[in-house]
Amino acid sequence: MKPNDRFSFLKNNRVSQDPITLVQCYLPIIGQDALNLYLYTLAFWDNGQKEHLFAAILNHLNFGMDRLLKAFKILSAFNLITLYQKGDVYELAIQPTLSQSDFLRHTVYRTLLEKKIGDSAVSDLCGVKADGEALTVPLSQAFPEIEDLASHDETPVKANFKNDFDLEHFRQLMARDGLRFQDEQSDVLELFKIADEKKWTWFETYQLAKATAVSQVISVKRMREKLVQKSISSDFNSQEETVIREAKRKTALQFLAEIKQTRKAGIIQAERDLLKQMADLGLLDEVINVVILLTFNKVDSANLNEKYAMKVANDYSYNKIRSAEEAVLRIREKNQKGQEQKTAKTTKEKSNVPKWSNPEYKNETSEETRLELERKKKEMLARLGKGGD
């Protein structure tokens, strides 16, 4: 979209608005720029009588193009404006606002509003379709970090009231499985964003949340790590394949318990805390299991060595190790590097040994050079002899 691109308003698309809901509910979330753009479209709607330039909006609202695009994305995400592209011309459809009661029943909208103005303030608050390709963006695209109103993506998917995240059923399953939020407001928004991006139902999102929870607490950080996990194919040997298979098969607590059992020991509280610390870094259980195994192999003890385990965990977190396969490859890489350094050190030590000390050393000095050295040796002895008289 450029300033000299043309658009027209959709015909038979006049909508009436409730200014109270617009200001009380929408404004705190969408911001002044988006509100001004929405009001502009209401004021200048002409039933599609002629085409206009986007430059006219820029001039009237004193916007730059970046601000205009951002405002369009936010309004599109909240289903207040829909842009349709028909050839080289855009068609703009205005959508009505939700009623205040519908707005406050919308899980994500209400959560966003609570995040902006607070729970108590929210508690005090007692479409025409056109032909063409819809140019809309989901709520998560307009709010990449939810509260950060900026985006450069153009995914043509619309977030609407029908697809609202069913938080009540989500909470019911949490209660059944003994899960809880760490920070409900921010967690709910991130859960909605994940569902929106993956086109998942609330139940599919819940399954991932349950699988990646840490000590019965939902971890959106680990959910994100699981989502970006990549399939790794490499020439793993049989030992490496066994490690990978076992690391993926068990939770970190189960994996640790089995190793401790072979050492006739039980899990101590410090080890439970250590597992949580590694999970809080965002590491998935299959990666933590490789850290556990590596630590026990490095430090011969009945208990996990916290210092070494956290050193490895921090390295894996920094290098974005997200699977058992990547962790095994990291170990292989470290071992190869260590072997190369050891070989280089040995070669250097050998190079410092005088050549003449080698039993196979051959003296290749020329006869002329040998005679010259012999002459200098005699002169030096003669001087020493005189000095001793």
Side-chain angles (χ1 to χ4, degrees), residues 94-151:
I94 308 170
Q95 311 294 350
T97 58
L98 296 176
S99 67
Q100 187 181 79
S101 60
D102 281 347
F103 187 98
L104 296 177
R105 283 193 297 108
H106 191 291
T107 303
V108 178
Y109 290 3
R110 183 185 178 107
T111 305
L112 282 167
L113 188 58
E114 288 173 345
K115 196 169 183 67
K116 288 293 183 180
I117 66 175
D119 296 355
S120 59
V122 172
S123 298
D124 291 340
L125 296 173
C126 298
V128 178
K129 190 173 182 182
D131 293 331
E133 184 182 356
L135 302 179
T136 58
V137 291
L139 186 63
S140 62
Q141 294 291 348
F143 297 81
E145 301 301 331
I146 299 302
E147 67 272 9
D148 181 16
L149 308 183
S151 173

Side-chain angles (χ1 to χ4, degrees), residues 13-18 22 26 38 42 78-81 93-99 127-128:
N13 182 221
R14 180 180 290 280
V15 295
S16 58
Q17 296 299 328
D18 176 5
L22 195 57
Y26 284 92
Y38 188 63
L42 293 174
F78 278 87
N79 199 30
L80 293 175
I81 282 182
I94 308 170
Q95 311 294 350
T97 58
L98 296 176
S99 67
V128 178

Side-chain angles (χ1 to χ4, degrees), residues 206-339:
Y206 178 78
Q207 289 178 310
L208 178 61
K210 180 182 177 182
T212 54
V214 179
S215 301
Q216 301 303 103
V217 178
I218 288 177
S219 171
V220 293
K221 187 175 183 179
R222 294 222 305 174
M223 290 177 71
R224 283 292 182 192
E225 290 296 299
K226 188 69 175 177
L227 288 174
V228 296
Q229 194 179 58
K230 296 179 181 178
S231 177
I232 302 293
S233 59
S234 183
D235 55 337
F236 296 111
N237 58 40
S238 59
Q239 184 180 5
E240 291 172 334
E241 287 179 349
T242 301
V243 170
I244 293 169
R245 184 172 58 252
E246 291 301 309
K248 287 179 175 292
R249 193 167 62 88
K250 304 178 182 71
T251 66
L253 193 61
Q254 292 170 339
F255 193 81
L256 176 61
E258 289 191 8
I259 293 180
K260 297 279 285 190
Q261 188 175 9
T262 63
R263 298 177 180 233
K264 296 181 172 58
I267 299 175
I268 59 178
Q269 186 58 45
E271 290 172 329
R272 294 178 185 272
D273 294 340
L274 178 59
L275 294 183
K276 185 177 184 306
Q277 288 180 53
M278 290 191 283
D280 287 341
L281 291 174
L283 297 180
L284 297 171
D285 279 8
E286 61 186 86
V287 177
I288 294 175
N289 290 342
V290 176
V291 175
I292 292 172
L293 185 61
L294 183 62
T295 303
F296 275 120
N297 287 342
K298 184 74 174 181
V299 183
D300 186 17
S301 171
N303 299 316
L304 264 178
N305 185 290
E306 180 180 355
K307 186 175 179 180
Y308 183 79
M310 282 306 298
K311 178 182 177 182
V312 177
N314 283 326
D315 175 68
Y316 285 7
S317 176
Y318 177 76
N319 287 283
K320 302 187 185 308
I321 304 298
R322 297 184 173 110
S323 66
E325 290 90 342
E326 290 178 325
V328 167
L329 289 176
R330 182 68 176 170
I331 294 173
R332 185 194 293 180
E333 177 188 330
K334 287 276 188 180
N335 289 340
Q336 288 176 348
K337 189 175 181 180
Q339 187 61 41

Side-chain angles (χ1 to χ4, degrees), residues 21-33 35-36 113:
T21 302
L22 195 57
V23 173
Q24 287 185 345
C25 299
Y26 284 92
L27 175 58
I29 307 172
I30 68 176
Q32 194 66 52
D33 283 358
L35 177 64
N36 287 342
L113 188 58

